[in-house]
Amino acid sequence: MADLVLLLKDREINRIQITKAETLIGRDSSNDLQIDNTGISRFHTRVIFYENNFYALDEGSGNGTYVNGIKITQQLLNDGDTIQLAKYRVRLEMESKTSQNYVAGSVSGDVVTESTVLYSTDEMGRLLVSEKKSKNDLMASSRMASFERELDNVNVDESGTPWFVFVLSGVFLLLAGVIVFVVLMHYFKH
């Protein structure tokens, strides 16, 4: 089993046991771990247990989510990792180094490592696509699944370039043309 330990100034003020696939943290009373503070968004962070790993996902919070001091949007968590939310810290504590069988199911006895792995959006996308074949119903409604759907919906041309790169290039060229026109007009007036 694993716990989320809420700390304020290094003092434990709350502890909850993770008993389901998704644990919500935020100011709203419907969250699994409620932090009643204006620096915390109503729905600040989500901790997901998926395929024997824990992940922290920022829910678009105003002040951001930090894991071990690094701002994240999604991050693999390991035993002892600390999630910073405003002036509060939430530490993931696992009962042992071996995962136990959670209520969410599909957990085996894999060993949890002692390192933190940072993934870029591209790397996370590749991981999610490679796991797509083995994806179970547990993740169907989670934020990581919506992240995967966002990656699937990015329109690209034949070269693999997203459409917005072409739009930004066109806007830049148009802006450069206007600047050249204004400079030439100013030069010929004098």
Side-chain angles (χ1 to χ4, degrees):
M1 296 254 189
D3 292 341
L4 292 176
V5 181
L6 180 61
L7 303 163
L8 179 62
K9 296 181 182 177
D10 293 326
R11 295 185 69 191
E12 182 176 326
I13 58 175
N14 195 2
R15 175 183 292 260
I16 65 165
Q17 192 172 57
I18 299 175
T19 59
K20 54 188 185 174
E22 294 188 13
T23 304
L24 299 172
I25 304 170
R27 193 177 71 243
D28 192 84
S29 62
S30 66
N31 287 288
D32 301 300
L33 180 57
Q34 182 187 13
I35 305 172
D36 190 15
N37 183 281
T38 57
I40 306 295
S41 296
R42 287 180 55 234
F43 302 99
H44 201 105
T45 301
R46 179 182 307 255
V47 175
I48 294 178
F49 184 74
Y50 176 65
E51 293 189 357
N52 298 329
N53 289 302
F54 289 96
Y55 297 89
L57 295 132
D58 183 75
E59 291 291 305
S61 63
N63 291 325
T65 300
Y66 297 78
V67 173
N68 299 329
I70 300 170
K71 189 171 185 173
I72 60 102
T73 54
Q74 67 262 340
Q75 173 66 45
L76 175 68
L77 296 174
N78 293 295
D79 187 30
D81 280 353
T82 302
I83 304 167
Q84 181 83 33
L85 311 169
K87 62 183 179 180
Y88 294 87
R89 291 183 303 125
V90 178
R91 185 175 57 233
L92 177 67
E93 289 185 357
M94 295 188 197
E95 190 172 83
S96 68
K97 298 297 178 204
T98 303
S99 300
Q100 307 249 336
N101 197 3
Y102 288 86
V103 172
S106 76
V107 181
S108 65
D110 292 346
V111 175
V112 177
T113 63
E114 288 291 326
S115 63
T116 299
V117 179
L118 297 174
Y119 292 105
S120 71
T121 303
D122 291 340
E123 290 171 314
M124 186 61 112
R126 282 191 294 275
L127 286 172
L128 288 170
V129 169
S130 70
E131 291 177 357
K132 193 172 194 174
K133 293 175 186 166
S134 65
K135 184 171 142 183
N136 60 23
D137 293 335
L138 182 63
M139 285 298 292
S141 64
S142 74
R143 178 116 187 265
M144 280 186 74
S146 67
F147 172 75
E148 182 178 2
R149 284 190 297 275
E150 287 175 27
L151 288 176
D152 289 342
N153 291 333
V154 172
N155 294 327
V156 294
D157 72 345
E158 299 80 32
S159 69
T161 306
W163 64 270
F164 57 85
V165 172
F166 293 111
V167 171
L168 290 175
S169 298
V171 169
F172 177 74
L173 289 173
L174 182 64
L175 184 60
V178 169
I179 291 171
V180 169
F181 178 75
V182 168
V183 168
L184 288 175
M185 292 300 291
H186 180 72
Y187 177 74
F188 287 115
K189 273 188 172 180
H190 294 357

